[in-house]
Amino acid sequence: MVGQTSRNERMNATGQSIFPDRIRAAFAFAGSQLRRLVTEHPDYFPLYTENGKWKHESEAWTNWCEGFLGGMLWILYRQTGDAWWREQAEHYSRLIEHRKTDRNVHDLGFLFLPTWKAWYELTQDSAKNQVVIDAGKTLALRFQPKGRYLRSFVAPDSLFIDIMMNVGIIFYAAQQTNDSKLWQVATDHCLTTRRFLVRGDGSTAHEGLFSADTGEFVQQTTHQGWRNDSSWARGQTWALYGFTTAYQFTQDERFLDTAERCAKFYLDRTPAHGIPPNDWEEPEPRRPYESSAAAIAAAGLLELARTVSESAKADYYRERAFAILATLMRPEFLASETPGWEGILKHGIYHERKGLGVDESVMWGEYFFLVALDKALADLEAP
Ligand code: GLY
């Protein structure tokens, strides 16, 4: 088990911060793992490793991860300026363009924000932006007017907390096209999620079920957590980060308050090293860690730090995020000293109940780890 991460761990003997060097080393390792993945398995979009290997035939449950590989390739291009990464990033973005009309998943934000939006930001090419807008409009078609939420991939009566990380692409499409109906869909979805999936103590439920006939809320349930009334760690971090994004778009204080309450629950319930189990309520978790939730939390906390107006709060969120990253960069989590392991970050969990990707590397954990490292480096190097 890992111990507490101290501030000293980020300093060398002369009191100089070694954190940026550790981040650059982690990026270099991530680059070598990703170069091998795209070279050895071209055009392959893995979700999770099995015994540390990306290539296997185990089920996906749902196809939601195809943007994370391209997203990492864009980050590596920005970090290194190496044209090879850009070539790969463009290629892996093109491979998913057709998904902009995919009505089977609720994950179009996960697919298009890390890829085509990153491409647009670099080039300012309106054709790239149009792909993002189209994807946002497709996602909005999942709106259920009676319950006022975007339905999950599972069924029309199902709302997932995960969708909070995708609704941003609808806000974005609405903003770009000045479409007030799209804006309302995104806002209503956030308000419904806040009301029915975020609890009074700041914890979250994975899923809400509604009456398809009337839109009446029926109950909280879970797929990937321990039980219906428990707190699935990754869902908590989707909410923390997602409500921060919703606030950034809307300036609606209700969303910032929700993001902060979700952050507080995460930080209060997680040991100082920053890595939660799969579910905080499970009496004896089968595994001590769900590292992908920690990576998402670190990225979300760094974004929250940039969003809150009080500097003391911002410093607190940034410090907690750095503590999480310091833990994730240790060899127990970073696979740099684990020969033969093909992922970047160990000890992630996809779907414990189904036995999919348990104690493995997971594609979204890799992506949000790089997002968090990228943000941390920018913060540390800011003048
Ligand atoms: N279904 C999205 C997740 O596993 O977080």
Side-chain angles (χ1 to χ4, degrees):
M1 300 282 276
V2 289
Q4 191 163 325
T5 302
S6 74
R7 196 182 172 87
N8 290 342
E9 209 176 330
R10 304 209 310 271
M11 301 285 171
N12 66 15
T14 60
Q16 196 106 10
S17 175
I18 55 169
F19 210 52
D21 292 340
R22 291 183 62 199
I23 292 176
R24 282 188 206 97
F27 264 123
F29 172 65
S32 66
Q33 297 298 77
L34 287 165
R35 189 178 284 269
R36 188 169 63 178
L37 172 61
V38 300
T39 308
E40 290 185 2
H41 305 295
D43 298 357
Y44 176 59
F45 289 99
L47 271 84
Y48 54 89
T49 59
E50 260 187 19
N51 300 316
K53 309 287 183 207
W54 288 119
K55 190 81 181 180
H56 55 80
E57 301 300 323
S58 298
E59 74 162 287
W61 187 40
T62 164
N63 289 101
W64 63 288
C65 289
E66 290 75 6
F68 298 133
L69 179 50
M72 286 190 277
L73 298 170
W74 280 113
I75 293 173
L76 285 168
Y77 171 62
R78 274 201 300 97
Q79 285 287 336
T80 62
D82 179 341
W84 188 83
W85 289 118
R86 178 160 183 169
E87 211 178 290
Q88 301 304 318
E90 291 191 10
H91 177 69
Y92 277 85
S93 299
R94 279 203 190 87
L95 287 177
I96 65 167
E97 183 179 355
H98 65 285
R99 300 282 302 276
K100 68 188 177 190
T101 54
D102 185 344
R103 297 191 60 180
N104 294 318
V105 299
H106 57 241
D107 304 294
L108 296 184
F110 285 140
L111 270 82
F112 288 92
L113 296 174
T115 53
W116 286 79
K117 178 139 181 292
W119 199 354
Y120 169 62
E121 280 166 2
L122 197 71
T123 59
Q124 296 299 304
D125 173 0
S126 60
K128 311 286 181 301
N129 202 31
Q130 193 56 49
V131 173
V132 184
I133 293 168
D134 290 347
K137 288 183 176 173
T138 301
L139 184 63
L141 298 173
R142 307 187 75 78
F143 192 63
Q144 304 296 297
K146 287 183 180 150
R148 309 203 73 71
Y149 60 88
L150 299 158
R151 56 158 291 192
S152 82
F153 80 98
V154 169
D157 65 355
S158 155
L159 160 67
F160 271 26
I161 195 74
D162 320 31
I163 302 172
M164 276 310 301
M165 279 300 277
N166 289 283
V167 69
I169 199 170
I170 303 181
F171 279 123
Y172 180 75
Q175 202 175 56
Q176 293 292 304
T177 57
N178 213 9
D179 184 329
S180 58
K181 284 199 182 119
L182 270 186
W183 189 265
Q184 198 58 51
V185 161
T187 305
D188 283 357
H189 174 83
C190 296
L191 289 172
T192 303
T193 305
R194 173 179 178 268
R195 183 170 190 182
F196 296 114
L197 297 193
V198 183
R199 306 184 183 115
D201 63 357
S203 70
T204 54
H206 182 187
E207 185 186 39
L209 295 180
F210 294 75
S211 157
D213 292 337
T214 64
E216 182 185 0
F217 175 69
V218 178
Q219 69 171 121
Q220 295 182 347
T221 57
T222 195
H223 292 263
Q224 288 155 280
W226 175 53
R227 63 183 205 186
N228 292 344
D229 61 353
S230 71
S231 309
W232 175 48
R234 192 159 64 255
Q236 187 73 21
T237 63
W238 293 144
L240 186 175
Y241 201 156
F243 277 104
T244 302
T245 306
Y247 173 73
Q248 289 172 339
F249 275 108
T250 60
Q251 300 298 301
D252 184 328
E253 292 292 335
R254 291 172 294 183
F255 298 148
L256 182 58
D257 171 68
T258 307
E260 291 203 80
R261 288 195 298 114
C262 291
K264 183 167 173 18
F265 185 88
Y266 181 98
L267 295 169
D268 285 352
R269 293 294 301 271
T270 305
H273 57 60
I275 321 299
N278 188 58
D279 191 311
W280 285 282
E281 318 305 341
E282 190 172 358
E284 293 191 14
R286 277 159 278 181
R287 307 275 171 184
Y289 306 127
E290 204 295 75
S291 63
S292 78
I296 299 157
L301 288 168
L302 288 172
E303 202 52 49
L304 193 52
R306 294 170 179 192
T307 306
V308 292
S309 49
E310 302 92 323
S311 62
K313 259 190 193 176
D315 290 347
Y316 170 68
Y317 291 138
R318 200 173 298 110
E319 279 298 312
R320 298 318 307 156
F322 285 176
I324 295 171
L325 288 178
T327 306
L328 292 180
M329 287 190 288
R330 292 187 198 176
E332 180 160 11
F333 290 93
L334 195 69
S336 53
E337 294 177 23
T338 310
W341 193 275
E342 294 179 357
I344 300 164
L345 209 54
K346 298 179 289 177
H347 306 309
I349 296 177
Y350 178 24
H351 201 311
E352 196 170 56
R353 290 167 175 223
K354 281 178 172 282
L356 304 177
V358 178
D359 203 15
E360 296 287 347
S361 290
V362 295
M363 224 34 187
W364 56 94
E366 317 278 80
Y367 171 71
F368 283 101
F369 180 51
L370 295 203
V371 169
L373 292 179
D374 194 35
K375 287 182 194 298
L377 206 49
D379 287 349
L380 288 162
E381 288 177 342

